[in-house]
Amino acid sequence: MTTPTVRQGEASRIADPDEGISLDELRLAARNHGMPLEALRYDLTPAGLHYVLVHYDIPYVDPVTWRLTIDGLVSPLVLDLADLRGRPRVERTVTLECAGNGRARLHPRPVSQPWLDEAVGTARWTGVPLLDLLGELPEDAVDVVFTGLDHGSDRGVEQDYQRGLGVADLDDVLVAYEMNGQPLPPQHGAPARLVVPGWYGMASVKWLSRITVIAEPFTGFQNATAYRIKTELDSPGEPVTRIKPRALMVPPGFPDFMTRRRIVEAGPVDLFGRAWCGFAPVTRVDVSVDGGLTWTEAELGAAADYAWRSWTLRWDAKPGDTVLMARASAGNDTQPVEQPWNTQGMTNNMAQRVPVTVR
């Protein structure tokens, strides 16, 4: 594991109340992209439209020389790509969402990747179940640490990207080498990555190089400092884990280039979207066509274990300006209309708002 180097003066911060998007944030937004909301029409998001978050650089990895090392409290193992592909394979359709999705809608804004609503995608991942690679875990195993080949600095800490998962959270985790039936593209973690169904995307380590089973909780940067829900900068907060319920709609009509306000013809309009949750099945989607004053239950499509489900609603559009909204319910949780604020802008699942002019 990489020993972190701390440089003074580098830290996360909160934007001033009226501060615009910075050049640093624009640089991140140019490298990382969300899924165009019209791509919600696809059951499986094409790889080039699936959201991408790269913390550091996309490493150039030669699939011929790449190796995956498994060590720690289990029998050591080194696999090349052919070894991995030669093992019994499974496919899982999984919706992944960035934990920072919606951050840019918070006020004041936590300064980081400025996501709106689009940091999501669903793919069919092919690979080997993690537990098949690890074998029987010893009784003193506590966490499993996953190390990627991307290397950089965050808030003064130089590091390889690493995340830890508790041994109770390993069911259905996949070491994947294909996405939608094709070898992983570079931006999605080639030649192999982790896919953790139900969890926000930070857990699904890309460019996987090492898996280490340890006897204590992992306290690396991406678990202990990043990806925390807290309202005070100096608070330890709570860890980000499973995806909260969210519904998104395909914006109807056509957009204005700059504002993205939708132009819709009066009359019947079929609204379509997707909804998902990482800890319970989505049981309901409600849609408002009057900015949240009233809500109507949508019709749900087929459910899936770890992937989004579709929803539809016919709207009788009347001339004038309005705001369309959608919110999902799962378990005992329903998306909020207004989001409680936190310092890192994590797990913001406030209901989508789509400004529309009906003519």
Side-chain angles (χ1 to χ4, degrees), residues 247-258:
L248 290 176
M249 73 174 70
V250 176
F254 62 88
D256 172 73
F257 170 71
M258 195 67 210

Side-chain angles (χ1 to χ4, degrees), residues 150-348:
D150 46 334
H151 182 88
S153 175
D154 191 349
R155 280 160 272 185
V157 180
E158 185 177 339
Q159 61 194 274
D160 295 330
Y161 186 86
Q162 290 181 311
R163 282 282 305 183
L165 270 178
V167 295
D169 297 315
L170 304 181
D171 290 345
D172 295 331
V173 174
L174 198 64
V175 177
Y177 48 77
E178 287 184 2
M179 178 183 187
N180 295 342
Q182 298 296 321
L184 291 175
Q187 73 272 27
H188 287 294
R193 64 172 293 167
L194 205 66
V195 175
V196 184
W199 282 59
Y200 283 104
M202 77 283 159
S204 294
V205 177
K206 295 183 291 235
W207 311 291
L208 194 60
S209 66
R210 185 176 295 271
I211 301 172
T212 305
V213 181
I214 61 176
E216 63 279 334
F218 177 63
T219 58
F221 180 91
Q222 299 294 339
N223 278 65
T225 301
Y227 296 103
R228 311 291 293 189
I229 301 171
K230 54 186 183 177
T231 57
E232 301 290 339
L233 286 172
D234 57 356
S235 165
E238 296 295 326
V240 174
T241 57
R242 292 186 174 271
I243 300 172
K244 292 182 179 180
R246 185 189 289 273
L248 290 176
M249 73 174 70
V250 176
F254 62 88
D256 172 73
F257 170 71
M258 195 67 210
T259 67
R260 309 306 294 177
R261 171 176 281 275
R262 310 303 294 191
I263 311 299
V264 174
E265 302 297 337
V269 177
D270 289 323
L271 301 177
F272 175 88
R274 305 278 181 175
W276 61 93
C277 179
F279 61 81
V282 169
T283 54
R284 181 179 177 122
V285 170
D286 291 289
V287 177
S288 175
V289 298
D290 54 15
L293 296 177
T294 62
W295 296 86
T296 302
E297 186 174 358
E299 182 178 346
L300 292 177
D305 287 340
Y306 291 115
W308 57 27
R309 64 189 306 184
S310 64
W311 60 263
T312 56
L313 180 78
R314 175 157 289 190
W315 168 40
D316 185 15
K318 306 294 186 184
D321 292 341
T322 192
V323 174
L324 307 182
M325 303 176 68
R327 66 183 184 188
S329 298
N332 295 319
D333 198 355
T334 296
Q335 280 184 258
V337 175
E338 299 294 337
Q339 178 67 36
W341 185 86
N342 64 84
T343 63
Q344 295 186 6
M346 295 294 174
T347 70
N348 174 13

